[in-house]
Amino acid sequence: MDNDNKLVASPDLPIDIQVNHRLVDLGRLVSLPPTTFRLLSLLMSDNTSAKELQAVIEQDPGLAAKVISLSNSPVYAVRDPVSTIDRAIIIVGFKELEILALGIGLTENFDLKKVPGGFDGRKIWLHCLAVSWIARELALTVKPREARQASEAMIGGLLHELGTIILVSKFPVHFQQLLDLVSSGRDYREAETTLSLRHEAIGYQLSRNWGLPEVFQQIILYHHFPKASKSYERPVSIISLADNLAHRSGYGLGLEERLEIDLPYVLKCLNLTVDQLQTFVKNVIASMARIQPLWDMVLNGESKKPVPKGSGLSSLLS
Ligand SMILES: [Fe+2]
Ligand SMILES: [Fe+2]
């Protein structure tokens, strides 16, 4: 393949240079658990039934137990305790439970609690859950009747930092090298480039190994450069904007602090005005405060106080 045709995760570097075969065990060590794969398929199907979702959850006792405890959370204020998955689906809502179940599956398989250097791995999952939620709401704002686009946005949001999640959970030595460079004053993204460990490229390689649909491969690869995605501009732009909004509303990674976005391009691509975006931001911040206790349960089995601040949003919109 000649250089001009190579896929790039930024306009400057080809994929193979960005990973440089440093993670030789990437394919062998990291697999997608079968339940998670089945949940992904259900989420992508236009006509999944509640019975099918119930069957997948019930086949995984750990997942089923967490779903039951989630539906008994004070958020839902149920009078009689929920003890079955079919009732949990009614209480939580079919679409919400689909994505929360996927979140539970992913967070349990890629455990970020024991991570190097005192780094708060929980922040990464909180960020992904927040991006997933914002992206879903954004997709519904842009195209209210397109359920498939909303599902795609939810999954894309959850998976967009796949490379970072894999690096932190499966390759702690490499991640520590990145943290060391950052503590010596380097920007995180610069450090990734220096060490040939760009998270977009790592996630993209893995998403191809797993045979994820191309739209997710493109979201993972181009979430910082939606313009570079020729065939999936709209879904990639949704995730890119949701990613920025999550960072600016207090759900950052604690890593990629210097995030840039070509807002005029993204707004044009999504057919949104600045006024519409402002209204969207106000509504989505309110909805995140409501849903965060559920994310805490997904991550810890407990509910904590909401953290959204929204203070950084004005700089995006001004
Ligand atoms: Fe990223
Ligand atoms: Fe992100």
Side-chain angles (χ1 to χ4, degrees):
M1 193 188 280
D2 79 39
N3 246 6
D4 290 346
N5 290 329
K6 279 188 177 170
L7 281 162
V8 292
S10 71
D12 50 345
L13 291 171
I15 288 288
D16 52 356
I17 294 175
Q18 293 178 50
V19 180
N20 199 17
H21 308 295
R22 292 200 68 198
L23 307 181
V24 284
D25 291 327
L26 190 61
R28 192 170 60 82
L29 285 181
V30 186
S31 61
L32 192 61
T35 306
T36 311
F37 207 87
R38 292 193 64 198
L39 279 169
L40 264 173
S41 311
L42 289 188
L43 272 155
M44 283 311 295
S45 162
D46 289 335
N47 42 22
T48 299
S49 69
K51 281 267 167 258
E52 285 172 295
L53 177 61
Q54 183 184 340
V56 172
I57 294 174
E58 283 174 348
Q59 271 168 19
D60 183 332
L63 176 62
K66 225 162 173 181
V67 164
I68 296 282
S69 95
L70 197 73
S71 53
N72 282 303
S73 139
V75 175
Y76 298 111
V78 285
R79 290 227 326 252
D80 303 316
V82 178
S83 57
T84 58
I85 300 300
D86 54 345
R87 187 134 179 273
I89 293 173
I90 295 167
I91 298 294
V92 179
F94 180 65
K95 278 287 153 201
E96 281 75 8
L97 191 55
E98 264 187 322
I99 196 72
L100 288 169
L102 181 61
I104 291 169
L106 285 168
T107 52
E108 288 198 338
N109 278 282
F110 302 109
D111 185 2
L112 302 183
K113 285 187 196 112
K114 291 181 205 131
V115 294
F119 177 77
D120 184 2
R122 182 177 167 274
K123 265 191 173 176
I124 299 181
W125 278 124
L126 253 187
H127 168 74
C128 293
L129 286 161
V131 174
S132 170
W133 181 257
I134 298 172
R136 173 196 124 121
E137 297 293 295
L138 194 53
L140 288 171
T141 300
V142 172
K143 290 241 166 146
R145 281 176 222 282
E146 293 216 6
R148 169 176 275 265
Q149 190 173 304
S151 295
E152 240 172 48
M154 275 195 297
I155 303 170
L158 210 50
L159 295 176
H160 78 288
E161 295 293 347
L162 183 64
T164 307
I165 288 162
I166 296 307
L167 199 61
V168 174
S169 62
K170 306 289 181 190
F171 298 92
V173 174
H174 294 78
F175 184 63
Q176 183 63 61
Q177 291 170 355
L178 280 174
L179 291 181
D180 290 345
L181 269 190
V182 171
S183 55
S184 72
R186 279 304 170 85
D187 169 66
Y188 182 75
R189 293 179 60 71
E190 260 175 55
E192 282 189 331
T193 305
T194 305
L195 295 177
S196 297
L197 291 170
R198 285 293 282 264
H199 70 284
E200 303 103 307
I202 295 167
Y204 171 72
Q205 285 200 334
L206 202 58
S207 67
R208 279 177 54 120
N209 287 356
W210 288 352
L212 293 185
E214 205 184 344
V215 60
F216 301 127
Q217 296 180 20
Q218 294 275 307
I219 283 171
I220 290 165
L221 183 58
Y222 293 125
H223 64 274
H224 293 294
F225 301 96
K227 229 180 200 170
S229 170
K230 300 282 180 269
S231 35
Y232 293 93
E233 289 167 305
R234 189 182 279 258
V236 177
S237 290
I238 285 177
I239 300 301
S240 190
L241 181 53
D243 191 24
N244 263 268
L245 293 175
H247 275 268
R248 288 162 194 269
S249 56
Y251 293 94
L253 279 175
L255 292 170
E256 302 174 306
E257 302 310 353
R258 275 195 239 157
L259 262 196
E260 283 167 18
I261 185 167
D262 184 348
L263 193 59
Y265 168 79
V266 166
L267 290 181
K268 188 166 171 245
C269 191
L270 301 180
N271 213 7
L272 272 182
T273 64
V274 171
D275 282 353
Q276 286 169 325
L277 179 60
Q278 271 168 334
T279 307
F280 170 78
V281 164
K282 227 189 287 166
N283 294 338
V284 86
I285 291 293
S287 73
M288 282 159 80
R290 268 198 330 271
I291 199 164
Q292 195 197 308
L294 292 179
W295 298 342
D296 287 319
M297 290 201 63
V298 167
L299 296 174
N300 308 324
E302 66 191 58
S303 176
K304 289 191 178 151
K305 280 183 105 174
V307 293
K309 298 170 198 83
S311 55
L313 291 167
S314 51
S315 59
L316 177 71
L317 298 172
S318 58

